[in-house]
Amino acid sequence: MWNDNHKQVADSITVISCLKTGVSGQVTAGLIIAKQDFRPISGKNNEERGALSFTLRDASGTVNVTCWGTAQFVQQIAQRFHINDVVKISNCNVLEKQDTEQEKLFSPTTSVNFRISVDQKNSKIEPLTYGIDNFLAIQQKPVSDDGDIVSLDKLVSAQTSYVGRFVNCLLIIKTTPSKRTIVTKADRTVTCCEFEVMDNSKEVLRLVMWLESLADLTYGLIPKQTILFLTDVKVKLDSFTETLTLEGNTKTIITVNPDVPSAHVLWSFAQKLPDDILQPSIKRVSKGNTSKVPLSSITKELTIEEIVDCEPDSGIVSAVLTSFDCTDSKRSVSKRCMGCNKKVPGLCAKAECFGKDVVSFYDFMVSLTDQTGTIDNVKLTGESAEKLIGVPVAMFEAWDSDTKSECMDRVLLERYKVYFTTFTMGSGIWLQVQQVDSWVPNIQSVSTGA
């Protein structure tokens, strides 16, 4: 129980949802649930200034806060307060939310239509010294509903559909988190924390925390014993490993060991897994599996069911092309640097590749179906795709949407003889198409009696 003095002070605190814009002297308090890195800002007369943003939560809602002032003042706040600390802000400046694209992409989603500005001259931020239990009670309650969770097998089976999007995930830590320091192209030192995660679909992805606050929060957490509820984690395609990854960034909010039924179910599931599940399972795709191989070495004919069950190195399957979309150029054509031979979004950022050509190539994700089942994880690229479509990639890129639609109608739902090799992405098997031939039925002669 608060004593009378504390109660009097507590009564002056306005809960987040009741703050008003344009009203001076307001005091609020909350649990820090997200925190961005310190940002240096150029001030007048070359004065070193800075900004720091974080997200506060109480039982009534969430709000984004930005602290402004000299670099020294803001850095002191950054060093003093961390995720899961409870703070009080006096004389906070409540402003209308900036409904900009930048805020939507780089700031956590909040429950209110305003934001808080903390100014060095007029505002004060300090630890809350009373009533902390009221805030710690919501520490393990996710800000998102667990009905919005996207499972890892759904992400993987959707191929690249989720790349670039923010999703909510409920995950168990699979491998011990490790920290590493990276120097960016802008000569800025960044600390990240990365580890593997999984859910009860048994699919495995790599999770990378790029913010110092998120790296500190997750570093040291125990595999198989720690559940993470990730709100707005970004789905990315790692061009180096050619695998889907999850990225915690300035928009992400993490709840450690959330107190929700679905988390309890996942924890119970994890305890039944063998200890060898803690070994890393995501490896870089070997070039031998995805590069062109002699077709003479691919001889064994298989069904989709046999491919999934036996995971062969290569094979031949007679199957119908049941998923193929060439109307979206972003999902049909990629670019590759001729210097390092890596897939790149535009020009290659590597210094040693400066001046090297970047070429376009076909890069489709397709699905194949036969009488035994369907496999969605199929890459159709390069010459194999060119043979199917019938024109070089440069000509394809010049096609209008109607011509691309006609091409899709021509090849979709047709049966083909597909030569393939396999590789592993995440915890599933993927096919790399080596050649696509028209399917010729094996017709046997039938004799009839006179």
Side-chain angles (χ1 to χ4, degrees):
M1 292 290 292
W2 289 328
N3 61 35
D4 290 341
N5 290 335
H6 279 166
K7 188 177 188 304
Q8 183 178 359
V9 177
D11 288 342
S12 68
I13 290 178
T14 304
V15 298
I16 289 172
S17 63
C18 292
L19 291 170
K20 304 294 183 183
T21 58
V23 177
S24 62
Q26 295 180 98
V27 179
T28 194
L31 177 77
I32 298 178
I33 59 172
K35 176 189 168 189
Q36 299 184 15
D37 293 338
F38 167 81
R39 305 191 305 276
I41 298 174
S42 298
K44 296 180 180 179
N45 302 320
N46 295 322
E47 181 186 14
E48 292 186 358
R49 299 184 64 80
L52 175 73
S53 297
F54 56 88
T55 304
L56 277 190
R57 184 186 187 189
D58 66 12
S60 73
T62 55
V63 64
N64 287 330
V65 181
T66 302
C67 301
W68 308 89
T70 64
Q72 181 181 13
F73 168 75
V74 177
Q75 284 178 332
Q76 285 176 346
I77 294 177
Q79 294 167 5
R80 186 179 185 186
F81 299 111
H82 308 280
I83 292 176
N84 290 328
D85 286 345
V86 182
V87 299
K88 182 177 77 171
I89 302 176
S90 303
N91 199 28
C92 56
N93 188 15
V94 182
L95 307 170
E96 290 186 4
K97 183 184 288 186
Q98 295 175 320
D99 192 20
T100 62
E101 193 66 26
Q102 182 175 1
E103 178 153 337
K104 292 177 182 178
L105 289 175
F106 301 108
S107 298
T109 302
T110 59
S111 62
V112 295
N113 60 357
F114 53 80
R115 56 194 171 91
I116 292 176
S117 177
V118 175
D119 180 80
Q120 181 177 355
K121 293 181 179 179
N122 303 308
S123 307
K124 183 179 181 181
I125 178 170
E126 58 189 327
L128 186 68
T129 57
Y130 53 88
I132 295 177
D133 289 346
N134 297 323
F135 297 96
L136 297 183
I138 60 174
Q139 193 174 33
Q140 292 180 284
K141 301 294 183 183
V143 294
S144 303
D145 187 81
D146 58 359
D148 297 330
I149 292 170
V150 179
S151 63
L152 295 188
D153 62 336
K154 184 175 182 179
L155 292 180
V156 172
S157 64
Q159 302 160 10
T160 57
S161 299
Y162 280 93
V163 171
R165 292 169 57 182
F166 291 92
V167 298
N168 300 339
C169 292
L170 183 67
L171 307 169
I172 185 87
I173 294 181
K174 179 181 177 291
T175 59
T176 302
S178 61
K179 275 188 179 181
R180 59 190 176 101
T181 301
I182 298 172
V183 179
T184 68
K185 290 181 290 184
D187 202 28
R188 188 166 63 95
T189 301
V190 177
T191 299
C192 73
C193 183
E194 58 182 297
F195 47 96
E196 291 182 11
V197 291
M198 64 183 298
D199 59 13
N200 49 19
S201 72
K202 296 186 178 180
E203 200 64 61
V204 178
L205 291 183
R206 187 168 61 98
L207 175 60
V208 183
M209 301 298 182
W210 282 109
L211 281 182
E212 184 177 357
S213 60
L214 296 182
D216 290 342
L217 180 66
T218 53
Y219 184 68
L221 295 179
I222 302 173
K224 272 186 70 174
Q225 301 296 320
T226 308
I227 306 291
L228 301 179
F229 192 117
L230 305 177
T231 299
D232 286 331
V233 64
K234 191 171 186 179
V235 182
K236 300 195 71 175
L237 183 64
D238 189 320
S239 59
F240 180 73
T241 61
E242 297 189 3
T243 60
L244 289 180
T245 62
L246 300 176
E247 177 185 273
N249 58 21
T250 56
K251 192 174 177 64
T252 307
I253 296 175
I254 300 178
T255 306
V256 179
N257 290 328
D259 186 13
V260 292
S262 53
H264 301 320
V265 171
L266 179 57
W267 188 87
S268 298
F269 164 80
Q271 304 319 299
K272 299 174 183 178
L273 296 172
D275 288 340
D276 60 6
I277 199 72
L278 302 180
Q279 298 301 315
S281 58
I282 298 176
K283 301 177 181 178
R284 184 182 179 188
V285 178
S286 65
K287 293 183 178 180
N289 285 337
T290 56
S291 60
K292 196 73 176 176
V293 300
L295 291 184
S296 59
S297 66
I298 304 176
T299 57
K300 188 172 183 178
E301 296 194 15
L302 301 161
T303 64
I304 298 293
E305 184 178 43
E306 289 171 332
I307 295 170
V308 174
D309 291 343
C310 303
E311 298 190 2
D313 292 332
S314 62
I316 304 170
V317 62
S318 297
V320 176
L321 188 64
T322 49
S323 174
F324 172 80
D325 185 3
C326 67
T327 58
D328 185 352
S329 295
K330 293 181 179 179
R331 298 182 181 180
S332 308
V333 177
S334 295
K335 298 185 182 298
R336 189 181 301 280
C337 172
M338 297 303 290
C340 61
N341 203 37
K342 296 295 183 184
K343 189 188 298 186
V344 292
L347 295 176
C348 187
K350 294 182 179 179
E352 60 269 26
C353 296
F354 180 77
K356 298 292 184 181
D357 290 336
V358 173
V359 298
S360 299
F361 68 97
Y362 284 118
D363 192 11
F364 293 99
M365 296 298 305
V366 303
S367 299
L368 296 173
T369 301
D370 68 4
Q371 69 278 10
T372 67
T374 298
I375 185 165
D376 297 315
N377 305 332
V378 183
K379 288 180 70 69
L380 175 64
T381 61
E383 295 177 3
S384 302
E386 182 175 324
K387 181 179 179 181
L388 179 68
I389 294 173
V391 297
V393 67
M395 187 178 296
F396 171 82
E397 289 184 294
W399 279 358
D400 57 26
S401 57
D402 289 339
T403 306
K404 290 180 179 179
S405 295
E406 291 173 4
C407 172
M408 188 166 69
D409 292 340
R410 174 172 55 84
V411 302
L412 197 59
L413 299 182
E414 294 293 328
R415 184 178 290 273
Y416 299 94
K417 186 176 183 179
V418 180
Y419 294 77
F420 67 87
T421 53
T422 64
F423 62 96
T424 300
M425 181 181 289
S427 59
I429 187 172
W430 289 57
L431 306 190
Q432 173 68 51
V433 175
Q434 299 293 331
Q435 181 166 307
V436 180
D437 290 340
S438 298
W439 178 69
V440 179
N442 185 15
I443 302 175
Q444 298 179 348
S445 61
V446 178
S447 60
T448 59

